[in-house]
């Protein structure tokens, strides 16, 4: 079992930046594929970004490509960050960190591909 805790959410004006972090604890001796999802009010949870277990492969949803950057602080992805720049009100959502031990995902965009989830952190972008 691994526990995920997100931090770094908050209120920011449009055009601003926030940096989210996800810290994994528990069974962390194996590297995890990590991802960020988000869920806006009244909408389904949507995939944002994934970092491979070796940290070398980064994937982004089209809606955040060029504005968001996912990164890892170490080789086992026990701390994964999401740098969010040029934020817009459409980025307002609860952001969730997710993890799986599976290294090659059939569908990284599907939340069912991930086994562990954090409780989420609220990001609010004002216009």
């Amino acid at each position: 079992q691994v526990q995920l805790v997100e931090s770094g959410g908050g209120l920011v004006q449009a055009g601003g930046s926030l940096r989210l972090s996800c810290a994994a604890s528990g069974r962390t001796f194996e590297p995890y594929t990590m991802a960020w999802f988000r869920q806006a009010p009244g909408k389904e949870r949507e995939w944002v970004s994934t970092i491979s277990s070796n940290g070398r492969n980064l994937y982004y949803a089209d809606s955040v490509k060029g504005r968001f950057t996912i990164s890892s602080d170490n080789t086992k992805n026990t701390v994964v960050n999401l740098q969010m720049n040029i934020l817009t009100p459409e980025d307002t959502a609860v952001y969730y960190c997710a993890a799986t031990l599976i290294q090659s995902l059939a569908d990284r965009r599907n939340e069912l591909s991930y086994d562990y989830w954090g409780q989420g952190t609220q990001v609010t972008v004002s216009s």
Side-chain angles (χ1 to χ4, degrees):
Q1 284 278 17
V2 65
Q3 294 77 45
L4 304 176
V5 178
E6 303 96 337
S7 62
L11 174 65
V12 65
Q13 288 188 332
S17 299
L18 279 176
R19 183 179 177 88
L20 305 182
S21 292
C22 173
S25 61
R27 183 183 173 183
T28 58
F29 50 87
E30 297 174 82
Y32 288 82
T33 298
M34 304 286 285
W36 288 95
F37 285 75
R38 65 186 182 185
Q39 187 167 20
K43 295 187 177 181
E44 294 185 351
R45 189 178 297 182
E46 67 170 348
W47 173 74
V48 174
S49 181
T50 295
I51 183 168
S52 62
S53 58
N54 62 11
R56 297 174 185 171
N57 301 308
L58 313 177
Y59 306 93
Y60 300 96
D62 288 343
S63 59
V64 306
K65 197 173 295 182
R67 300 188 299 122
F68 290 12
T69 303
I70 192 170
S71 64
S72 175
D73 282 359
N74 53 56
T75 58
K76 291 187 177 180
N77 286 354
T78 55
V79 178
V80 174
N81 306 301
L82 186 68
Q83 178 67 42
M84 306 185 297
N85 298 328
I86 318 175
L87 287 162
T88 73
E90 289 68 37
D91 295 314
T92 295
V94 177
Y95 283 71
Y96 297 91
C97 178
T100 178
L101 283 170
I102 299 174
Q103 298 186 19
S104 180
L105 297 176
D107 185 0
R108 67 181 68 90
R109 294 172 172 82
N110 191 333
E111 60 182 284
L112 297 178
S113 297
Y114 302 88
D115 303 302
Y116 306 101
W117 292 83
Q119 292 189 332
T121 185
Q122 176 71 47
V123 171
T124 302
V125 184
S126 63
S127 57

